[in-house]
Amino acid sequence: MGNLLWWHTGVIYQVYPRSFMDSDGDGVGDLNGVRQRLDYLQDLGVTGIWLSPVNPSPMVDFGYDISDYRAIHPLFGTMKDFDRLLKEVHRRGMKLITDLVPNHTSEAHPWFLESRSSRANPKRDWYLWYDPAPGGGPPNNWLSAFGGSGWEWDEATGQYYFHSYLKEQPDLNWRNPAVQEEMHDIMRFWLDRGVDGFRVDVMWHLIKDERLRDNPPNPDYKPGMSPYFRYRPNYSVDQPEVHGIVAAMRKILDGYPERVLIGEIYLPVKSLVSYYGRNNDEAHLPFNFQLITLPWDAASIGAAVDQYEGALPEGAWPNWVLGNHDRSRIASRVGIRQAKIAALLLLTLRGTPTLYYGDELGMTDVVIPPSKVQDPHEKNIPGLGLGRDPERTPMLWNAEKNAGFTTGTPWLPVGRTYRRINAGVQATDDTSMLCFYKRLIRLRNAQPALHSGSFRRLDTEGTALVYVRRQGNARWLIALNLGTRRTTVRLADPALRATVVLGTHSDAEGKQLTHRFRLRGSEGMVARLH
Ligand code: NOJ
Ligand code: MG
């Protein structure tokens, strides 16, 4: 690959703005709060900041229900604050990626208000309105990901509308060219302001089967799973026509230099990589969530890495994601010791890494008492552990009240361990997760082999995952023990010699490795090959 851009080589960091930093004491994070913490992010070494939505919204789905795509919600600040943040990000040589939510709007969006006002309204066809099934009831069996039918009856106009998520989030009709044109215009609005790219919400949902065929039952559905998985969404997601839509979005970005198009897509690898486009003319980075969804063991992850590397189309750039605002935090999923292994994986596998705010501190999910639940997913489908509040709690800045996040009452409880686990304390402790992340990101940023070199996995037995990154003469060996017990790494090349440069166990640093060496439980290392 010639000509690598910032989003190929850099690290992306997701800020969930409600929970990052509150500058005005209302208990909810805001744009000026993010701006106040840019030094921290710069020092961490990340390149791109992805901001979850900050547009006006009734906040039924905490900003993923937008009522005005061209403005800023007063809770987060003003357009001036946004421009100032963007300027400050750029002044630091960093980039800002915003969230684009094109699949659905808020029910409070003026487009939807018009659309539902009458069947004759010119905006009627901007959403998915259908007559009841011939025998009555919803047009088909499609479900909402947040519980219940995906169809909502509108008494006044005698039709149903479709919503992939909450009934307060009606899906737009992407078959309508006017919808496409409007969304393209919104993209240009933000690109003209200077944003460096978009993370497109639920990209694989954008268009649905025109004939509204029923989804088939899912034979793998088991009680305890979200009821959404009772059916296989064969006709309500990942339709062939989605690729034209994404390609048209990409064309808009290609009119500007160095902008990135990222797609949120939960699909098996084979379908996922189709979102790069046949000629790399769709998403630059279809988010790869395998480190979130796979069982945490060397065999599963090793096989998945090989499969992913093998499936990537010619010229496509890989990427890996460790966490986000919808999934349990890595330190809770795999434990705090394996969370360091996860950091090593994320930052040394081939491709752009995306990390979630607070994971660099080893933040864990916070138990939310029933009276404090905010997430509509939890409220609609209680008891299955589907709620996303635990991973959305305030960033832990220091040992002061509310971990320094707010002077008011935080919108979600602050994790109880904040006096020990916070950015301030960890910055002064060489053995902390934060210092580990910083050193790792620095090493990655400084070594072309690590951020853009080739990748080759080495055969090993046991619980270790071992691979080599190479660029020209520079070669790095990464050895990770995904198990909690000691393991021996035996590699094929007897001439192998390497020096450990960075390790989860700092006493290993400086050690010489040969083709046979031991890893302690949850030990990982990055070594320079000679
Ligand atoms: C995906 C977002 O990440 C999630 O937070 C949201 O609830 C749904 N899309 C619906 O917009
Ligand atoms: Mg605030």
Side-chain angles (χ1 to χ4, degrees):
M1 295 269 307
N3 206 15
L4 294 178
L5 303 176
W6 64 272
W7 57 263
H8 292 102
T9 58
V11 176
I12 298 175
Y13 182 99
Q14 180 188 359
V15 165
Y16 191 66
R18 292 183 65 90
S19 303
F20 197 61
M21 180 66 207
D22 177 23
S23 71
D24 59 1
D26 65 359
V28 178
D30 42 53
L31 293 172
N32 288 336
V34 179
R35 187 165 49 78
Q36 288 168 9
R37 296 299 185 179
L38 288 180
D39 287 345
Y40 169 84
L41 295 177
Q42 187 173 17
D43 187 43
L44 180 60
V46 301
T47 310
I49 301 169
W50 152 34
L51 262 191
S52 283
V54 290
N55 311 103
S57 156
M59 291 286 164
V60 186
D61 191 21
F62 297 106
Y64 284 94
D65 48 326
I66 293 174
S67 53
D68 183 352
Y69 286 86
R70 292 182 180 83
I72 300 293
H73 194 307
L75 193 59
F76 295 121
T78 61
M79 195 56 95
K80 254 204 174 122
D81 296 332
F82 181 87
D83 289 340
R84 207 164 151 204
L85 172 64
L86 186 57
K87 212 168 138 201
E88 284 290 304
V89 167
H90 286 164
R91 197 173 61 75
R92 288 170 161 80
M94 292 159 72
K95 307 286 179 180
L96 191 69
I97 300 161
T98 53
D99 218 303
L100 183 74
V101 188
N103 179 67
H104 45 268
T105 70
S106 161
E107 62 172 352
H109 198 294
W111 305 335
F112 189 68
L113 296 180
E114 279 192 51
S115 184
R116 84 183 313 172
S117 69
S118 96
R119 288 199 191 196
N121 188 280
K123 291 246 162 37
R124 184 67 170 183
D125 192 42
W126 278 42
Y127 293 83
L128 301 170
W129 289 101
Y130 288 92
D131 290 334
N140 65 22
N141 69 358
W142 298 352
L143 297 177
S144 151
F146 286 163
S149 167
W151 297 98
E152 183 70 11
W153 174 246
D154 182 61
E155 190 61 51
T157 58
Q159 280 189 314
Y160 286 89
Y161 67 84
F162 183 67
H163 55 93
S164 298
Y165 294 88
L166 300 170
K167 67 174 179 3
E168 293 86 353
Q169 294 167 295
D171 282 34
L172 284 161
N173 174 15
W174 273 85
R175 294 182 189 275
N176 184 334
V179 168
Q180 302 204 13
E181 208 19 73
E182 179 68 20
M183 209 46 84
H184 294 166
D185 210 59
I186 288 163
M187 293 174 76
R188 284 185 215 104
F189 175 88
W190 292 103
L191 292 167
D192 289 339
R193 289 204 104 76
V195 310
D196 299 289
F198 301 107
R199 171 271 191 189
V200 178
D201 192 62
V202 298
M203 187 180 265
W204 83 116
H205 276 258
L206 286 175
I207 195 159
K208 290 90 190 166
D209 180 42
E210 200 166 17
R211 291 161 52 199
L212 296 192
R213 280 170 281 187
D214 271 342
N215 283 326
N218 176 8
D220 300 326
Y221 172 77
K222 290 186 188 59
M225 287 166 78
S226 162
Y228 176 69
F229 296 113
R230 279 176 195 279
Y231 297 98
R232 288 217 165 125
N234 293 6
Y235 294 112
S236 47
V237 304
D238 194 29
Q239 298 303 293
E241 301 98 314
V242 73
H243 296 288
I245 292 174
V246 180
M249 288 182 166
R250 170 66 175 270
K251 277 225 170 71
I252 308 282
L253 271 93
D254 283 346
Y256 298 76
E258 298 197 21
R259 310 299 162 99
V260 67
L261 186 64
I262 302 175
E264 184 206 18
I265 301 159
Y266 286 91
L267 285 175
V269 167
K270 200 166 160 271
S271 320
L272 174 68
V273 298
S274 72
Y275 286 75
Y276 281 105
R278 274 191 205 193
N279 305 301
N280 285 306
D281 54 356
E282 295 182 33
H284 293 107
L285 302 174
F287 261 155
N288 167 17
F289 294 122
Q290 292 182 92
L291 294 179
I292 297 181
T293 53
L294 282 173
W296 198 258
D297 62 72
S300 308
I301 293 183
V305 171
D306 291 348
Q307 190 209 0
Y308 181 62
E309 281 280 348
L312 285 171
E314 178 81 33
W317 191 257
N319 79 92
W320 297 90
V321 183
L322 206 52
N324 60 41
H325 62 295
D326 296 324
R327 299 290 167 138
S328 175
R329 282 188 180 272
I330 185 70
S332 291
R333 276 186 276 127
V334 302
I336 193 71
R337 296 178 66 214
Q338 280 293 316
K340 278 195 176 173
I341 299 292
L344 280 166
L345 262 175
L346 176 74
L347 291 153
T348 62
L349 283 172
R350 195 172 77 89
T352 307
T354 299
L355 79 115
Y356 184 50
Y357 86 93
D359 282 350
E360 75 277 20
L361 308 176
M363 270 177 77
T364 50
D365 293 346
V366 175
V367 178
I368 310 293
S371 65
K372 298 231 163 103
V373 168
Q374 302 275 348
D375 185 13
H377 197 190
E378 176 67 27
K379 290 183 181 169
N380 285 359
I381 316 173
L384 294 182
L386 298 173
R388 301 166 295 174
D389 296 330
E391 62 265 23
R392 295 177 176 180
T393 61
M395 175 70 174
L396 307 175
W397 291 109
N398 54 45
E400 288 156 37
K401 192 170 169 243
N402 297 321
F405 164 71
T406 181
T407 55
T409 307
W411 77 285
L412 278 174
V414 171
R416 275 193 301 179
T417 53
Y418 76 90
R419 285 197 183 78
R420 269 189 304 116
I421 299 173
N422 66 63
V425 166
Q426 291 196 14
T428 59
D429 171 5
D430 284 348
T431 66
S432 68
M433 184 71 97
L434 179 59
C435 286
F436 183 69
Y437 258 98
K438 266 196 219 169
R439 293 177 55 219
L440 182 51
I441 293 174
R442 280 207 188 124
L443 180 65
R444 181 194 154 90
N445 288 347
Q447 297 296 334
L450 292 178
H451 62 64
S452 45
S454 64
F455 171 92
R456 186 164 60 92
R457 206 151 76 80
L458 303 185
D459 277 336
T460 36
E461 286 155 25
T463 56
L465 191 64
V466 184
Y467 47 91
V468 175
R469 300 292 313 277
R470 174 186 200 143
Q471 173 101 310
N473 292 328
R475 290 182 308 138
W476 291 78
L477 179 80
I478 293 100
L480 309 172
N481 186 357
L482 278 88
T484 52
R485 299 234 187 95
R486 193 168 81 174
T487 190
T488 302
V489 175
R490 293 184 187 84
L491 302 171
D493 175 10
L496 185 146
R497 297 287 178 276
T499 308
V500 179
V501 171
L502 186 145
T504 51
H505 298 51
S506 53
D507 62 357
E509 289 168 12
K511 235 172 69 175
Q512 304 298 311
L513 302 178
T514 64
H515 69 303
R516 221 189 130 144
F517 57 93
R518 277 199 174 145
L519 291 172
R520 288 164 277 186
S522 300
E523 179 168 33
M525 44 184 66
V526 183
R528 190 196 288 272
L529 280 157
H530 304 299

